Amino acid sequence: RRVHGYRYAMVCASNMNRSMEAHHVLQKRGLEIRSFGTGSQVKIPGKRLTEPNVYEFGRVTYEDVYRDLRAQDEEYYRRIGMLSMLERNIATKRAPEKWQTADFSNVANQIDIVICFDERVYESLVEDLMARGSKTMTPCHVVCLPVVDNTESATIGGQDAIKLVTALEEIDDLEEGIADALDRFQEETQKTLLHTIAFY
């Protein structure tokens, strides 16, 4: 166990909604937290279902997206909650980050516990960790806590993330205690988690 608790990452597809709500609420609690997306691009709803707004990871900040949506139709994007979501994101960190391009080669950057907010994200992330190969043999616990990708569900998901992380913070040895903590969380919330362990 690290002296100041564990290092966490919250992960969804675009690092816009679910992962950022959890990042925001956990950061306010003073935890060591990062967030990422696993998608090929950053996608958020557009004015038509078939035409999302699409941005490139590594080339866009939350401020850029905010300005773009305001220029397109400020009233519409305010009404559907996109602008308030981006205001939260801007207050939390600078830009969406892609998991697959993050550097975890240095032990100081390695995350202890990753929480993914849907099964596809979970599978992509585990696949990436396996493909990187085990160089330092530092364990990484990956948990899937499914949350529907809308603003209301993301708020509930953020509260569930607090509950889960609070339970994990009480464990002195993750390898020994994480299974029991996850079982208790599932019993209390009636939510089904997935869990696997990979190595950096």
Side-chain angles (χ1 to χ4, degrees), residues 10-12 15-26 80-82 84-85 88-89 115 117-118 145-163 191:
M10 304 293 126
V11 187
C12 64
N15 198 197
M16 272 284 172
N17 182 31
R18 297 165 293 176
S19 61
M20 284 303 292
E21 174 64 22
H23 185 154
H24 179 70
V25 295
L26 290 166
I80 68 164
M82 290 293 107
S84 56
M85 177 189 79
R88 175 204 65 205
N89 294 359
I115 298 176
F117 292 106
D118 70 49
L145 168 61
V147 174
V148 175
D149 192 7
N150 61 48
T151 50
E152 296 80 10
S153 296
T155 302
I156 297 163
Q159 295 308 304
D160 282 338
I162 288 173
K163 193 177 294 181
K191 293 191 174 158

Side-chain angles (χ1 to χ4, degrees), residues 24-191:
H24 179 70
V25 295
L26 290 166
Q27 187 169 275
K28 288 204 291 194
R29 290 175 171 247
L31 292 155
E32 195 167 342
I33 179 97
R34 294 179 70 185
S35 60
F36 300 92
T38 58
S40 55
Q41 295 167 306
V42 177
K43 293 180 184 176
I44 57 172
K47 295 185 79 172
R48 291 194 184 93
L49 274 176
T50 54
E51 295 177 16
N53 289 288
V54 179
Y55 308 92
E56 297 300 320
F57 278 108
R59 294 186 182 176
V60 71
T61 66
Y62 293 119
E63 186 71 49
D64 294 333
V65 178
Y66 185 70
R67 285 197 193 118
D68 182 39
L69 297 189
R70 287 184 67 189
Q72 284 184 43
D73 188 334
E74 182 164 4
E75 190 276 329
Y76 173 77
Y77 287 112
R78 175 68 64 194
R79 190 172 73 246
I80 68 164
M82 290 293 107
L83 295 183
S84 56
M85 177 189 79
L86 283 157
E87 286 159 2
R88 175 204 65 205
N89 294 359
I90 290 164
T92 305
K93 68 174 192 175
R94 183 174 173 273
E97 295 175 80
K98 185 169 179 167
W99 172 270
Q100 291 91 332
T101 56
D103 180 9
F104 300 116
S105 58
N106 186 329
V107 175
N109 294 334
Q110 292 172 356
I111 310 289
D112 301 305
I113 301 160
V114 180
I115 298 176
C116 301
F117 292 106
D118 70 49
E119 204 164 327
R120 199 168 69 179
V121 167
Y122 172 82
E123 287 168 1
S124 295
L125 190 140
V126 171
E127 194 177 293
D128 175 73
L129 281 170
M130 298 298 183
R132 289 175 189 243
S134 305
K135 296 178 180 72
T136 64
M137 291 308 291
T138 312
C140 175
H141 292 270
V142 186
V143 177
C144 180
L145 168 61
V147 174
V148 175
D149 192 7
N150 61 48
T151 50
E152 296 80 10
S153 296
T155 302
I156 297 163
Q159 295 308 304
D160 282 338
I162 288 173
K163 193 177 294 181
L164 180 54
V165 166
T166 301
L168 296 173
E169 280 292 289
E170 292 172 3
I171 301 169
D172 284 327
D173 183 336
L174 278 179
E175 279 62 45
E176 291 287 322
I178 192 166
D180 286 347
L182 297 179
D183 285 345
R184 280 196 306 276
F185 177 88
Q186 289 179 111
E187 281 171 25
E188 288 168 14
T189 63
Q190 296 301 299
K191 293 191 174 158

